[in-house]
Structure formats: structure tokens, C-alpha cells
């Protein structure tokens, strides 16, 4: 089989809410390629249960949403970013509705206007008002399917499933300030060939990196690809130490990634110990509606204190029909696993859920490299600070996708065609006969990240993890040099890169703040308020 070359105006790496929104926003005026590692709907967007936060009624205000986000972010949110994204929330919701997204409506409401509380709103951790729109308990799935339907129908959008980005490609400009991204090398996993995708503009919309941990609520593809691609390409990253652990994933051997949405607690569910005792009121005035970092640490503390394998989420005191109608997906999944949500408490544990740091961008989605953009969970915009507030992430995806699309459309037509990218060179590699190296290192990485760089950290654990990651990185570099690339190898390579960034960032932050909690520095240092942890790559890459 021969290698292929493709040429587009805009190359979007990632097919979730951020990537598809941007593609749809630019496609009327540009030729777009959207890459997905597997099926288009295999990413984190489809897994999002809770909803999307935006001010929707007269008892709520934009200022309240902004302040709630600032408080949840524990002193590291950028107010300009928070204001920019929150203020554009209502417009983003209107656009999603225009694309066919069917949010759950209030019962017995015959009014046709969008505002005036037409939609059912939930309240989640950190929010002072009900402002989370949802589609039952499968909001992400509804958004993904609606955007995917629109993208498949657009004549200017080409969709490439089962395509994994290997590396970004630079032009040959020797001046780092003028250097630009001109596309990417991409592995077609069905053909086993690395193809060239050349583009005037490249957009990273690859999601987060929670698969770096042993236990996670994320799909298999959340391996930090965009963060690693951008880092190798010369982009700075920020606040990688802030990894959000969702407090309530189902504790069951057959459902280790199944999330029990925060909306359950928003509708009154309690967290209980095995003896039935509620414990969250001992940890925070908002009890079960405290910010996620506090809830996750409280659960972790109680599990370790008692030696229990889990705690329990209890919504049995609510009307059974209400629970079934508002959480049908969760109810049916639990029922299949032997739990009736309306009759018994459900065993839950924390799991890695969201990457709050990432590739540094401005409020147009621009990275440090010309013609390279990043949007969604892959980024650090300043919205989330030290702790993401529930349901702000889907909002960020849509708002920042539109911001990047506007910036791209302002210049893409004037960008001259660059020199052709040469084909991927496989002349000095062979097929691997040691795939066990990849699987072993993958398992080792995720185990020690969970044990040493998890919810509660110490300097000694972080230093131990740093030594292990250096050894693994060396092995992966050697393996990568000798063997043809595979999807598993590329994901492991990216995970090792991201794990290293997380560990280095955690060692640099000598305090406890938000999602980063260390026993060696248990207090928050007021001198570090507003101070991001920024890492800069050691050198710029050269053109291939």
C-alpha cells in the first residue's frame, strides 16, 4: 500500500464538541479535515453526563457564574478568560439548539421562548444557582450526535476515523518567532501507514490525559495526545499538576469507568459511609455540593481512615419516578449490574476525570506557534484555575471553538501555500516483535501515577515517580527509534510525556491549592495566588 498526501485549509485533530464546533464554524469558507483516533463519537464528549453551564433565568446572573468559577478555581482562574467564556454562554446554548441539541425541558411548560426557564436546569458542585442545562443524563452524547450529524452532512468537511496524529510538522523558517505549523504526520490505523496531512491552519482538539491514571472515568483515547504533540513542537504548557478526580465513579469490576454524574448530588443524593453515616457535612459547608476537589479528598480520606474500598451514593429518599426520568442511563446501567438506584445506595470511588492544565493559548485559541491552535480540554485558557467547576468544560469547548474559528477565518484565505511535506521515513525501522514492552510499560506507568501522583501527594512520592518516568521515557525513545509506529506505541509515548509534565509541575508547586494537595505543604501559600506553573520546552523542533 502506498502512502497518501492530503491538503486542506484547516486540519482539526479531534472530533468531540470542540473539534466539531470549530469545523462547522469554518466549513462554509474553508476546506476542513477532522481526524478521530477511533469512531467520531469515541471521545470524552459522548461520555459527559451532567450538562453545560450557562446563565438562563432572571434569578441568576453572569456575575454570579463568574464568581462561582473564580471561587472554585482557588485563586488561579484568569478573570478575563472566565468573563469571556461565561458571558458567551447563552449565545453558545442558542447555537447548540440550532444544531439540533434537544435539552431536557421543564415539565408542564408551554411557553416557546428560549429564556424564561423553558429548560430544566440542575445545580452542581460549586454553582450557587441552577444553571446547568442537560439532556437527561446523557448531555454529551446528545451534543456529540447533533454536531456529528451536521458535520457528516457538510460538503466542505472530510471526516477521517481511525487516524492518529504522530507529530506536527513545521516549515523550514529558521527564526523561531516566524516558524509555523503546516500540518501533521498521521497514522491510518486500518492501513498501518503514516500519511501526510498538510494544512494552512492546524487545530488541536484532542481532549485530556486522564488515562495516565489507573482509575479514570474517561474513554481509552484520553491519552494526552494534543498536549504531547504541542510540547514536542515547542509550545508551553501550564498548570499540569491540577488533575481533577471525579468523586463518584461506580465501584464495580465490570464498570471501572462508569461515572455517576454530579447532578445526582445536585438533586439531593447523599454520600454515606458503610455504616450509613453522612460524612460530607464534616468537610464543607456545602456538604455534597462542595467543589469536586474537596469531595474527592474527603472520600479518599474516609476510605483510608476506615480501610474501606468505597463509599456509597444514596438517592433512595427521592421519588423513584423522578430518579428514573432524570437519570435513565445511570438507572439502567446500574440495574444491569445488580443495583437499583431507587432502592439501595450505590458503591462509588474517585477516579481521574479532567485535565485542568494544558497547552497555553490566548482567548483566540492561538498557541506559541504560528498557525497552530488548541481548544477544549487540551488547553490552559485560564478558565479552570486550580479546580474546574462542574459543567464549565463543555461551555469552554463551544465558546473557544467559535473564538478560534473567527480568528482562523480572518486570515486563512491570505495564507500562501507552503512547501510540500515529504513522506514519512520508515527506511530504518522494522515491525516490532516485542509488543509486550508497550503493554508492560503502559501498565507500570498508570499504576505508579495512581500511587504516587494521585489525590494526595508527597515530595518523596513525586521524586520516586520522576525517577521511574525518566527510565520509562528512555525505553520508549529507544523503542520508537527502532520499530514502526502503532496506535498503542503513540499513545504510550504521549502518556509518558504528559506524566513527566504532571510530575514536574507538581514538584514545582510548594503548596496545596485546589486539586494539588501535598502532605509536605498542606497549606495554601498566599504569595502563589495567581501564579501559574508554566513549563517551556527545552528546544524548538526542526522541520522534517
Amino acid at each position: 500500500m502506498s502512502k497518501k498526501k492530503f491538503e486542506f485549509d484547516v486540519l482539526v485533530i479531534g472530533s468531540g464538541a470542540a473539534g466539531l464546533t470549530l469545523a462547522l464554524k469554518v466549513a462554509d469558507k474553508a476546506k476542513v479535515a477532522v481526524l478521530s483516533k477511533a469512531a467520531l463519537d469515541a471521545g470524552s464528549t459522548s461520555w459527559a453526563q451532567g450538562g453545560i453551564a450557562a446563565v438562563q433565568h432572571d434569578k441568576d446572573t453572569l456575575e454570579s457564574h463568574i464568581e462561582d468559577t473564580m471561587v472554585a478555581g482557588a485563586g488561579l482562574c484568569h478573570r478575563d478568560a472566565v468573563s469571556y467564556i461565561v458571558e458567551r454562554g447563552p449565545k453558545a446554548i442558542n447555537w447548540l439548539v440550532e444544531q439540533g441539541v434537544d435539552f431536557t425541558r421543564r415539565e408542564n411548560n408551554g411557553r416557546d421562548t428560549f429564556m424564561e426557564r423553558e429548560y430544566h436546569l440542575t445545580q452542581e458542585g460549586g454553582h450557587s444557582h441552577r444553571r446547568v442545562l442537560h439532556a437527561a443524563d446523557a448531555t454529551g452524547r446528545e451534543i456529540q450526535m447533533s454536531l456529528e450529524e451536521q458535520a457528516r452532512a457538510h460538503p466542505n468537511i472530510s471526516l477521517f476515523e481511525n487516524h492518529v496524529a504522530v507529530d506536527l510538522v513545521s516549515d523550514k523558517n529558521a527564526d523561531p518567532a516566524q516558524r509555523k505549523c503546516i500540518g501533521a504526520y498521521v497514522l491510518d490505523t486500518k492501513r498501518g501507514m503514516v500519511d501526510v496531512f498538510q494544512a494552512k491552519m492546524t487545530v488541536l482538539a484532542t481532549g485530556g490525559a486522564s488515562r495516565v491514571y489507573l482509575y479514570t472515568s474517561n474513554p481509552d483515547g484520553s491519552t494526552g495526545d494534543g498536549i504531547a504533540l504541542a510540547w514536542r513542537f515547542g509550545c508551553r504548557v501550564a498548570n499540569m499538576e491540577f488533575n481533577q478526580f471525579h468523586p463518584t465513579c461506580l465501584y464495580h469490576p465490570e464498570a471501572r469507568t462508569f461515572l455517576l454524574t454530579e447532578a445526582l448530588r445536585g438533586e439531593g443524593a447523599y454520600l454515606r459511609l458503610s455504616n450509613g453515616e453522612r460524612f460530607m457535612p464534616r468537610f464543607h459547608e456545602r456538604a455534597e455540593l462542595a467543589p469536586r476537589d474537596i469531595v474527592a479528598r474527603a472520600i479518599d480520606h474516609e476510605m483510608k481512615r476506615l480501610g474501606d474500598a468505597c463509599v456509597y451514593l444514596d438517592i433512595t429518599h427521592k421519588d423513584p419516578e423522578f430518579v428514573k426520568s432524570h437519570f435513565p442511563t445511570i438507572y439502567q446501567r446500574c440495574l444491569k449490574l445488580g443495583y437499583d438506584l431507587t432502592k439501595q445506595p450505590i458503591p462509588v470511588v474517585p477516579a481521574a476525570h479532567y485535565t485542568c492544565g494544558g497547552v497555553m493559548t490566548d482567548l483566540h485559541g492561538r498557541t506559541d506557534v504560528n498557525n497552530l491552535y488548541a481548544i477544549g480540554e487540551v488547553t490552559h485558557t485560564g478558565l479552570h484555575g486550580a479546580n474546574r467547576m462542574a459543567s464549565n468544560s463543555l461551555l469552554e469547548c463551544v465558546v473557544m471553538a467559535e473564538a478560534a474559528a473567527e480568528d482562523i477565518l480572518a486570515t486563512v484565505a491570505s495564507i500562501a501555500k507552503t512547501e510540500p511535506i515529504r513522506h514519512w521515513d520508515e527506511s530504518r525501522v522494522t515491525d516490532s516483535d516485542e509488543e509486550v514492552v508497550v503493554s508492560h510499560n503502559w501498565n507500570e506507568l498508570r499504576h505508579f501515577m495512581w500511587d504516587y501522583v494521585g489525590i494526595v501527594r508527597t515530595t518523596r512520592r513525586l521524586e520516586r515517580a520522576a525517577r521511574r518516568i525518566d527510565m520509562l521515557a528512555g525505553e520508549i525513545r529507544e523503542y520508537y527509534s527502532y520499530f514502526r509506529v502503532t496506535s498503542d506505541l503513540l499513545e504510550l509515548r504521549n502518556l509518558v510525556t504528559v506524566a513527566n509534565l504532571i510530575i514536574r509541575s507538581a514538584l514545582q508547586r510548594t503548596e496545596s491549592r485546589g486539586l494539588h494537595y501535598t502532605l509536605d505543604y498542606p497549606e495554601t501559600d498566599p504569595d502563589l495566588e495567581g501564579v501559574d506553573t508554566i513549563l517551556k520546552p527545552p528546544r524548538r523542533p526542526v522541520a522534517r
Side-chain angles (χ1 to χ4, degrees), residues 468-480 496:
R468 300 285 283 275
I469 204 68
D470 285 344
M471 180 181 66
L472 275 184
E475 290 183 6
I476 296 306
R477 279 194 299 269
E478 180 182 11
Y479 194 97
Y480 185 80
V496 168

Side-chain angles (χ1 to χ4, degrees), residues 67-120:
E67 289 307 313
D68 287 347
T69 301
M70 297 293 295
V71 170
L76 286 187
C77 292
H78 297 191
R79 185 172 286 275
D80 61 339
V82 176
S83 298
Y84 182 90
I85 293 167
V86 167
E87 288 169 359
R88 287 159 178 77
K91 179 183 177 184
I93 297 300
N94 281 328
W95 183 81
L96 287 173
V97 172
E98 290 170 1
Q99 307 313 303
V101 176
D102 186 16
F103 292 112
T104 298
R105 298 171 184 268
R106 288 172 59 89
E107 295 179 3
N108 301 320
N109 188 342
R111 288 176 290 192
D112 295 327
T113 56
F114 176 71
M115 300 297 284
E116 296 298 323
R117 311 179 195 140
E118 178 186 354
Y119 289 91
H120 181 270

